[in-house]
Amino acid sequence: PREFLWERLQTSQFADLDQQELQRLTDIVDYATSHGASVLIDPHNYARYFDAVVGQDVSVDIFSDFWAKLANVFKDNDKVIFGLMNEPNTMPTETWLDDANAAISAIRDTGATNLITVPGNAWTGAHSWLEKLVRNTKR
C-alpha cells in the first residue's frame, strides 16, 4: 500500500492536487506498477480532512472532488487500486456509508474501472461494521 495524507495532496477544499506531492506519489506508483506490482493508494486520514469528519463537519462533496481528481490521474493504470480511506472511525456508520458511496460514484464518473476497496467504520475492523449503525436493521 502507498498511503498519504489527503491534506498534503489537496491543500484546501476543492483545490487542484498539489503537483509536487502528486509527482512523489506518481513516481512511486509508476515504479512499482512498471515492475508488475499492484499498488493500493489510500489517504491515511480516518475519514477526516484537517481533523474535520467528512460528511459531518465538512461536506462529502470535498471527498468526492478529491477522489475524482485522483482517479483521473490513475484511471488508465489497472494496477492501481483505490483505497477510499484508512480506518474511518468515531462517526455514525450511515455517514461513512454515504461518504463511501459518494466517492465511488465520483470515481466511476471519471470512467475509472480500477478496483476500489471500501473500509468499514470503527477502525476498519469487519467485526465492528455494524457497531455504530444507527438505523434499525435486521440481522
Side-chain angles (χ1 to χ4, degrees):
R2 181 65 240 165
E3 71 276 349
F4 53 88
L5 289 177
W6 177 5
E7 295 89 348
R8 289 184 189 159
L9 200 51
Q10 191 175 41
T11 58
S12 62
Q13 294 182 19
F14 303 105
D16 290 338
L17 299 179
D18 179 87
Q19 290 305 299
Q20 184 175 357
E21 190 69 12
L22 180 60
Q23 190 61 59
R24 185 183 71 81
L25 180 62
T26 301
D27 287 348
I28 293 167
V29 169
D30 288 348
Y31 176 82
T33 60
S34 72
H35 287 81
S38 293
V39 177
L40 182 137
I41 56 174
D42 74 321
H44 258 54
N45 285 75
Y46 314 104
R48 308 296 194 271
Y49 185 66
F50 288 103
D51 294 321
V53 175
V54 176
Q56 243 177 245
D57 304 319
V58 293
S59 171
V60 68
D61 293 339
I62 66 167
F63 189 50
S64 297
D65 174 76
F66 167 75
W67 268 111
K69 288 173 177 164
L70 197 57
N72 271 315
V73 173
F74 293 107
K75 69 182 178 183
D76 294 326
N77 187 337
D78 63 357
K79 293 194 174 297
V80 175
I81 302 165
F82 300 142
L84 291 186
M85 185 61 68
N86 180 67
E87 299 181 335
N89 65 83
T90 58
M91 60 195 300
T93 296
E94 293 89 349
T95 300
W96 174 241
L97 176 64
D98 292 343
D99 295 348
N101 282 331
I104 292 166
S105 291
I107 291 167
R108 293 298 182 232
D109 286 348
T110 70
T113 59
N114 306 63
L115 176 65
I116 300 171
T117 62
V118 183
N121 193 15
W123 304 97
T124 309
H127 66 282
S128 61
W129 283 3
L130 298 177
E131 184 176 288
K132 295 208 176 274
L133 187 64
V134 178
R135 292 185 189 128
N136 183 12
T137 61
K138 295 179 183 178
R139 294 184 190 186

